[in-house]
Amino acid sequence: VQLQASGGGLVQAGGSLRLSCEASLHTFANNAVGWFRQPQGRDREFVAVISRSGDSTYYSNSVKGRFTISRDNAKDTVYLQMNVLKPEDTAVYYCAANPRTGSFLYTSDYDYWGRGTLVTVSS
């Protein structure tokens, strides 16, 4: 599975962006998909995950209530709607696919990664 994240950019604090993660293969629906982010000079951290069917989601405390993850399996695409953005949300955002059930919080849980997309939130 090859993944491509897009939709990043520069936005003012309080603004919104929607990231997309498009997969190259139709087996995308067999994978849970997570979003991670990596601020400059820091480790990659979990942001959100969505189950294979899309009926279950989970968020980090830092984005809960502001970000929404969703997917359209017919389009092999997962989205991350980011609202009320803060300067501390500035990071490179990555999507990743996990074909297994169980753990989903760690980068090691994911087999496939896309290139990141940079989100910069100005104050």
Side-chain angles (χ1 to χ4, degrees), residues 4-10 16-21 35 80 82 117-119:
Q4 178 63 55
S6 62
L10 174 63
S16 298
L17 281 175
R18 187 176 82 157
L19 306 184
S20 298
C21 175
W35 284 97
L80 185 68
M82 306 186 296
T117 184
L118 176 63
V119 172

Side-chain angles (χ1 to χ4, degrees), residues 46-119:
F46 170 80
V47 174
V49 64
I50 189 165
S51 63
R52 299 172 183 179
S53 64
D55 60 357
S56 181
T57 58
Y58 185 81
Y59 301 90
S60 69
N61 287 335
S62 61
V63 307
K64 192 178 299 181
R66 299 187 298 121
F67 291 12
T68 302
I69 189 171
S70 62
R71 70 188 299 163
D72 185 343
N73 285 340
K75 296 182 178 179
D76 296 321
T77 303
V78 168
Y79 305 97
L80 185 68
Q81 177 67 42
M82 306 186 296
N83 298 328
V84 195
L85 282 161
K86 304 175 181 180
E88 51 263 44
D89 294 317
T90 295
V92 177
Y93 283 71
Y94 299 88
C95 61
N98 178 356
R100 295 173 296 278
T101 58
S103 179
F104 53 79
L105 291 176
Y106 306 102
T107 57
S108 57
D109 296 327
Y110 295 79
D111 289 359
Y112 311 104
W113 290 84
R115 289 187 178 182
T117 184
L118 176 63
V119 172

